[in-house]
Amino acid sequence: MWADGVHPKVRLGQAHSCVLVLMGVRTDGRMELIAVAEGLRESTESWADLLRDCRRRGMTDPELVVGDGAMGLWKALTEVFPQARHQRCWVHKVRNVMNTLPKSAQPGAKKALQEIYNAEDRDHAEKAIKDFERSYGAKWPKAVKKVTGEVDELLAFYDFPAEHWVHLRTTNPIESTFSTVKLRTRVTRGAGSSAAALAMVFKLAESAQARWRAITAPHLVALVRAGARFERGVLVERGEPCAA
């Protein structure tokens, strides 16, 4: 499941409100809009209200939730869906790290971070993190801490099928969908009320859903949901990786 707070160009109920969005993958590999709701992006209670509503509607703990660094989301998940694993969005993480570095250091650091999330497996990713720490830790410890302080949350996707990694590293499924929604709402002269604004955003997202493709290797989703174990992105049976 992907979770993010987006800011379409419509009038919501409060000055600091945004639209909380949940998207997920069904066991057949199809992507689906789960819920949209108005809330405060950083608010634990806003996220918890939305997640509790999903649980009331029959949703069980997701295998993995991908989101940015907003603490409200992760606290709410721990409360409502405690079995779900957490994955930090690498696009947001790279952006946050760059904000702590001088411009002269940013190109090299960005390449070093790409070596982490594009590594061939978790072992190589952990080695790339150590390389990043050695290269930048002395001068910019704050930047390095943003990575070394969340290793498990940044590398969780490596425990899933390799075919799914590209989908699990970022919240891009939400951002790409709502970039279109933002374009549509930007030319709208206001929706009249916060309820109407939210309804408009929902209908635009629902319309976009018809064009979403299933994730790569959709047949593996059911195995993940059934508790199958993957090492280095490959299905493991009886302690041994399956033949490629």
Side-chain angles (χ1 to χ4, degrees):
M1 184 173 74
W2 298 273
D4 201 3
V6 298
H7 297 267
K9 303 297 182 180
V10 293
R11 185 183 300 110
L12 296 170
Q14 301 180 59
H16 300 290
S17 290
C18 67
V19 177
L20 306 180
V21 183
L22 296 177
M23 290 172 56
V25 177
R26 300 169 62 92
T27 53
D28 62 3
R30 289 183 297 154
M31 296 171 62
E32 182 176 68
L33 180 66
I34 299 173
V36 296
E38 182 179 352
L40 299 177
R41 186 176 186 180
E42 303 293 335
S43 166
T44 299
E45 193 55 37
S46 292
W47 278 113
D49 284 345
L50 180 57
L51 295 172
R52 283 192 290 262
D53 181 62
C54 290
R55 182 173 283 283
R56 283 192 295 269
R57 290 191 281 133
M59 183 174 168
T60 57
D61 293 58
E63 296 296 326
L64 183 72
V65 178
V66 187
D68 65 12
M71 292 307 298
L73 167 64
W74 307 113
K75 290 179 180 178
L77 275 169
T78 300
E79 173 192 337
V80 183
F81 291 118
Q83 301 303 314
R85 296 186 61 187
H86 300 175
Q87 169 66 49
R88 296 293 193 270
C89 171
W90 269 100
V91 169
H92 287 89
K93 179 58 65 176
V94 170
R95 190 180 303 148
N96 291 340
V97 172
M98 293 302 104
N99 288 339
T100 65
L101 294 170
K103 288 186 177 180
S104 60
Q106 290 180 9
K110 188 173 184 179
K111 184 177 180 180
L113 293 173
Q114 291 172 340
E115 293 292 328
I116 300 172
Y117 63 79
N118 285 328
E120 61 183 272
D121 55 39
R122 185 180 179 119
D123 291 342
H124 285 82
E126 290 177 348
K127 180 181 180 299
I129 288 176
K130 291 179 180 178
D131 292 341
F132 177 72
E133 185 175 14
R134 280 193 294 268
S135 298
Y136 296 91
K139 287 187 175 181
W140 300 288
K142 184 177 179 181
V144 170
K145 182 64 176 177
K146 288 182 176 295
V147 176
T148 59
E150 295 185 334
V151 171
D152 288 342
E153 292 85 356
L154 287 168
L155 304 185
F157 72 91
Y158 280 112
D159 294 332
F160 291 80
E163 294 89 340
H164 296 173
W165 291 354
V166 66
H167 304 289
L168 303 180
R169 290 190 290 244
T170 75
T171 55
N172 184 62
I174 289 179
E175 294 189 8
S176 60
T177 294
F178 276 81
S179 64
T180 302
V181 172
K182 288 177 182 179
L183 286 174
R184 294 286 299 275
T185 56
R186 187 174 294 135
V187 298
T188 304
R189 292 179 176 271
S193 69
S194 60
L198 194 61
M200 180 174 65
V201 170
F202 170 75
K203 293 304 293 183
L204 288 171
E206 186 180 47
S207 175
Q209 179 177 260
R211 299 186 295 275
W212 294 344
R213 297 179 179 179
I215 67 171
T216 306
H219 64 284
L220 295 175
V221 177
L223 293 177
V224 171
R225 192 61 178 166
R229 188 163 60 92
F230 292 81
E231 289 184 0
R232 296 180 173 86
V234 178
L235 177 65
V236 173
E237 290 183 347
R238 299 185 181 88
E240 295 294 334
C242 293

